[in-house]
Amino acid sequence: MTKLPQNSILKRLSETGYSDARIADMYGATPQAVNARLVAMGLRRYRQKVTGILERAWPTSETGRGDFVNLNRYRDLCCFLRWRLGDPDMTANQVRGAKRFERTVRERNSVLDFQPEADEPWLFVPRIESDGRMVIRWPQGRELPEGELRAALDLPEEPQE
């Protein structure tokens, strides 16, 4: 297996928009190795925060959430959360995904819920009072994050441009 490039090259490839899988293919590595190096370099700080939020809501070991992370609604949710956290490294496509997610939540007056047993596990469901301003239906009995992580879950008062 070929070694990954120097950190400066890896950073440039990632910032240019190359996926972990594409970088891995270029160097004969695994996407997990690419991601691990980018995390170690501190370049995945926002993705780690988003994963932490979603793991708190729907632990992969209990819900199987990891089997459904390739679906568009999940990706858009992740983009929205990164956007709300102020991730400066988002691509134009990721920002569009974040805005699309926000627009859908507003237009439908809904929240995203995760129902792994359903045919479509990421469902937009009608907003209820207990949802507050959150963009997801927070599972009962799960502790909410605090601070900026909690704030990232809220729909902004005004649509973001």
Side-chain angles (χ1 to χ4, degrees):
M1 194 167 293
T2 306
K3 208 167 128 175
L4 287 172
Q6 295 175 341
N7 287 353
S8 60
I9 295 170
L10 187 61
K11 178 181 179 186
R12 185 171 35 86
L13 289 169
S14 178
E15 289 174 346
T16 303
Y18 284 90
S19 70
D20 292 356
R22 177 70 181 113
I23 295 170
D25 285 345
M26 292 167 65
Y27 292 94
T30 65
Q32 293 84 357
V34 173
N35 184 61
R37 175 83 81 76
L38 291 169
V39 167
M41 292 167 55
L43 297 176
R44 293 291 168 88
R45 188 172 71 240
Y46 291 95
R47 289 184 186 184
Q48 288 177 301
K49 288 179 180 184
V50 168
T51 299
I53 292 169
L54 299 175
E55 186 65 18
R56 186 174 267 195
W58 303 292
T60 301
S61 61
E62 294 175 22
T63 65
R65 179 178 49 83
D67 294 338
F68 306 103
V69 298
N70 61 333
L71 301 175
N72 288 336
R73 289 178 181 173
Y74 179 83
R75 288 181 186 165
D76 286 353
L77 167 63
C78 291
C79 290
F80 174 84
L81 294 172
R82 285 176 59 197
W83 189 43
R84 291 282 289 150
L85 289 166
D87 185 348
D89 297 322
M90 292 179 67
T91 66
N93 281 342
Q94 291 166 335
V95 171
R96 277 193 294 278
K99 290 179 179 184
R100 179 176 47 245
F101 182 84
E102 179 185 2
R103 187 173 49 254
T104 300
V105 168
R106 285 186 189 285
E107 288 174 358
R108 295 183 184 183
N109 191 28
S110 63
V111 295
L112 191 65
D113 194 14
F114 178 55
Q115 299 175 10
E117 67 287 344
D119 289 337
E120 172 59 52
W122 297 103
L123 299 168
F124 283 107
V125 296
R127 179 177 297 281
I128 58 176
E129 189 175 335
S130 62
D131 294 325
R133 296 212 45 80
M134 285 196 293
V135 296
I136 64 172
R137 172 82 30 91
W138 194 264
Q140 287 185 335
R142 298 273 181 210
E143 188 175 335
L144 280 164
E146 297 178 358
E148 72 171 348
L149 302 182
R150 171 61 188 86
L153 290 164
D154 283 345
L155 189 63
E157 291 289 333
E158 298 294 322
Q160 303 299 294
E161 296 303 321

